[in-house]
Amino acid sequence: MFSKLRLPRAIQICLISCVLLFLGSIYVHKIEPNWLEVNQIDITLPNLDRAFSGYRIVQLTDLHVGEGIERDQLDRIVDTVNALQPDTIVLTGDYVTRSPEPQIDLLTTALSGLQARDQIIAVFGNHDVFDNAAAVTQSLTTAGVKLLENEVYTLHRDRATLHIAGLGDVWAGLNKLDRVLAQLPDTGAAIMLVHEPDIADETAAVSRFGLQLAGHSHGGQIRLPFYKKFPLYGRKYPSGRYQVGDMVQYTSRGVGMSTLHVRLNCRPEISVFNLVTIDTPRAERGFLDPRPNLN
């Protein structure tokens, strides 16, 4: 009797559509937001001393703690970063979103778990500035993270130097490139950290930075042929690698989410940069050291 039961075609289509919507919802809310992609990139950095050839910088951005990212996911992110054995970790903003106070302890715990050979360096994002800069500053400080606000931090290898500069948040109007340049020595390779990538035209124009690292756009979070939406100051250089004059601009998709807690065709990203000199032999490029490739 039941084997002969046939539902009307319209009901069949409706049931199939409901199942697909249910599975799709699980994918965009649970699967892809947790499907970390580790992108490893060789960067030929002008003026880089051979002492820093092979230097590894791991970029982590847009955590948005409390916005669809839970403790277990944060633990996996921290474990992934640490497994890459970075020389330096750079954090490019938006650690929190609206009303961050309840999430500060979680943020502090996560950041405290990061391990780098040299230093962990951070800049603010727009959410950090607008929502509770004091709370985020305290969290970063407690976790042992060096916050740069229009400042320069210099790494040393014997007499060789590598300069990491950090701009204030662009959206908030706190970026002061002139202050950074006033502190930046004339010699040694230099990297710029900033939250919003579209300031790259301005930073590249000074011809002092070989690489700029940013986040902010989340890569769009939802990427479809007919739909791509990026935030203000993240529309010109929204995702991946760009050549802006003599400077490489890299915009990471980040690991968190805001507004819509979904990702589609836009996996969360941890970016890893292997610095090489112009004269580094090809055989020494491409992460050929013992540290793991987690792609």
Side-chain angles (χ1 to χ4, degrees):
M1 171 180 164
F2 290 105
S3 62
K4 296 180 180 180
L5 180 62
R6 292 182 180 276
L7 295 173
R9 185 169 181 81
I11 295 179
Q12 292 181 37
I13 293 174
C14 182
L15 288 174
I16 292 172
S17 298
C18 288
V19 170
L20 292 176
L21 284 172
F22 175 71
L23 294 176
S25 179
I26 291 176
Y27 178 80
V28 300
H29 283 93
K30 298 296 183 181
I31 296 177
E32 188 162 316
N34 287 279
W35 188 9
L36 273 177
E37 181 175 4
V38 177
N39 284 325
Q40 305 203 59
I41 306 108
D42 281 342
I43 295 290
T44 302
L45 200 61
N47 304 314
L48 184 69
D49 192 282
R50 288 281 294 176
F52 283 98
S53 185
Y55 198 83
R56 176 168 291 190
I57 295 177
V58 174
Q59 180 192 11
L60 185 60
T61 192
D62 293 271
L63 283 167
H64 288 282
V65 172
E67 287 280 308
I69 187 167
E70 305 299 334
R71 175 62 183 270
D72 59 343
Q73 187 177 356
L74 280 172
D75 289 343
R76 287 195 298 273
I77 290 167
V78 169
D79 289 345
T80 300
V81 170
N82 291 342
L84 290 161
Q85 301 179 29
D87 293 305
T88 285
I89 298 171
V90 297
L91 311 173
T92 47
D94 275 6
Y95 312 101
V96 296
T97 316
R98 295 165 291 275
S99 302
E101 292 81 2
Q103 312 301 332
I104 287 297
D105 288 345
L106 180 57
L107 173 64
T108 304
T109 299
L111 295 179
S112 297
L114 294 172
Q115 299 171 7
R117 286 189 175 96
D118 289 334
Q119 185 60 273
I120 304 173
I121 303 171
V123 293
F124 271 157
N126 54 295
H127 282 283
D128 309 314
V129 173
F130 292 138
D131 293 317
N132 193 328
V136 177
T137 299
Q138 183 59 53
S139 178
L140 293 170
T141 301
T142 301
V145 176
K146 175 66 176 177
L147 175 63
L148 299 181
E149 296 183 271
N150 302 306
E151 298 172 273
V152 177
Y153 183 89
T154 299
L155 297 157
H156 296 272
R157 287 286 186 274
D158 296 324
R159 295 184 179 181
T161 57
L162 172 61
H163 310 293
I164 310 290
L167 268 184
D169 185 69
V170 175
W171 198 323
L174 300 177
N175 54 304
K176 306 296 180 185
L177 183 57
D178 56 338
R179 294 185 189 176
V180 172
L181 295 175
Q183 301 169 49
L184 186 61
D186 294 331
T187 59
I191 296 171
M192 174 63 83
L193 308 181
V194 63
H195 183 62
E196 294 91 347
D198 289 357
I199 196 69
D201 292 332
E202 183 177 333
T203 51
V206 302
S207 300
R208 186 62 184 90
F209 303 99
L211 173 66
Q212 177 170 286
L213 302 179
H216 183 54
S217 70
H218 304 184
Q221 281 191 204
I222 301 172
R223 296 198 300 193
L224 298 169
F226 55 85
Y227 178 85
K228 293 178 183 177
K229 186 176 181 179
F230 304 109
L232 186 65
Y233 303 115
R235 295 169 181 165
K236 188 171 184 179
Y237 306 109
S239 182
R241 180 173 180 160
Y242 304 88
Q243 190 68 42
V244 186
D246 295 329
M247 184 184 80
V248 173
Q249 161 62 42
Y250 193 90
T251 307
S252 172
R253 299 189 301 271
V255 296
M257 300 165 288
S258 65
T259 309
L260 295 175
H261 300 167
V262 299
R263 279 188 180 268
L264 179 60
N265 194 30
C266 189
R267 289 168 58 188
E269 174 185 9
I270 294 173
S271 313
V272 192
F273 302 92
N274 183 53
L275 305 185
V276 296
T277 62
I278 293 174
D279 60 347
T280 298
R282 185 172 297 275
E284 295 180 20
R285 304 185 182 210
F287 295 93
L288 299 180
D289 63 24
R291 291 177 285 192
N293 185 327
L294 298 184
N295 248 346

